[in-house]
Amino acid sequence: HNHMSRPGDILLHLGDFAIDAPLKKKKKAIVRFDQWLARQPHRTKIVLRGNHDPFKVDFPESSANFVSMPKSIAIDGKLTMTLVPYSSPRKLSSSWRKMPMYCDVLASHSPPNGILDKCYNGANAGCASLRGKVEKMIFGAPSLWLCGHIHEGRGKEEVAFGLSS
C-alpha cells in the first residue's frame, strides 16, 4: 500500500482490505490502510466491505466512507451509484428490496455469477442472486459494473445484462 493511485474524483475500494491475522495485527493493518487512503488525492473515498473485512470500521485519518450495507448514492447530482458490499445471498436478497430499479454504476464486492468469477480450482464463485436482480432491472442494467472478491478473476468483460439483452 505504498503506491499512489491514479488521480480522480472518487476512489472506490471493492473490499478485502483487512488481513486474515490475529486481532492486534489486523487492527494495525487497518490503520496502515487508512493511512494509505489518506495519502490518495481523491476528494471522495468509498470502501466496500469484503468477506475478509470486519462489519464496522472507522477511517479517521482518511475520512473514507465504509459501506457495510447495500445503498445507493448520487454523485454530483448526475450519476447514480449502487454500492453492494459483501453479504450472504440470503441477506442480499432481503436488502435488495430497498435497492433502486436502475443505476448508472453498480459497485459490488462479489462479481456476477459466471463473469470474472473463476477461482483457481475452476469453480465459479460469483453471486447468482445479485446477477439475477440486475438482469431484472426494469429501467435497464447499469452502464458499468465494478466488482472485486475473486482475486484471481481480475480483468474486464463487456456483457449485456437486463431485460433487453
Side-chain angles (χ1 to χ4, degrees):
H1 287 291
N2 290 325
H3 72 284
M4 295 288 280
S5 62
R6 294 182 178 174
D9 294 326
I10 301 169
L11 183 146
L12 183 61
H13 191 283
L14 300 174
D16 287 349
F17 58 85
I19 59 172
D20 290 327
L23 188 59
K24 189 174 180 180
K25 203 171 192 177
K26 183 177 271 202
K27 284 182 177 183
K28 284 183 180 180
I30 291 171
V31 167
R32 284 193 307 275
F33 178 65
D34 185 30
Q35 292 167 344
W36 176 83
L37 286 169
R39 290 192 303 272
Q40 304 311 306
H42 309 80
R43 66 181 174 153
T44 302
K45 298 165 186 168
I46 301 169
V47 179
L48 299 187
R49 178 183 175 268
N51 57 307
H52 294 280
D53 303 328
F55 285 95
K56 184 169 178 4
V57 179
D58 290 317
F59 295 116
E61 197 167 325
S62 66
S63 298
N65 299 296
F66 182 65
V67 179
S68 61
M69 293 293 294
K71 67 193 256 180
S72 290
I73 59 173
I75 307 290
D76 294 334
K78 300 174 189 166
L79 189 71
T80 304
M81 183 182 291
T82 298
L83 307 168
V84 184
Y86 178 77
S87 183
S88 70
R90 184 177 186 192
K91 193 171 188 177
L92 182 64
S93 289
S94 66
S95 63
W96 190 267
R97 284 178 235 152
K98 302 171 197 158
M99 304 300 280
M101 290 308 297
Y102 172 79
C103 63
D104 297 297
V105 177
L106 174 62
S108 63
H109 177 67
S110 298
N113 184 258
I115 310 292
L116 298 175
D117 70 335
K118 197 165 294 274
C119 298
Y120 288 126
N121 67 6
N124 293 90
C127 184
S129 175
L130 184 56
R131 181 176 180 157
K133 298 294 183 186
V134 170
E135 288 177 342
K136 292 176 185 167
M137 286 181 144
I138 293 172
F139 299 112
S143 299
L144 179 64
W145 187 341
L146 306 167
C147 54
H149 188 47
I150 310 301
H151 304 213
E152 58 268 38
R154 67 177 76 62
K156 74 173 193 167
E157 264 186 60
E158 290 189 35
V159 178
F161 288 102
L163 299 171
S164 59
S165 61

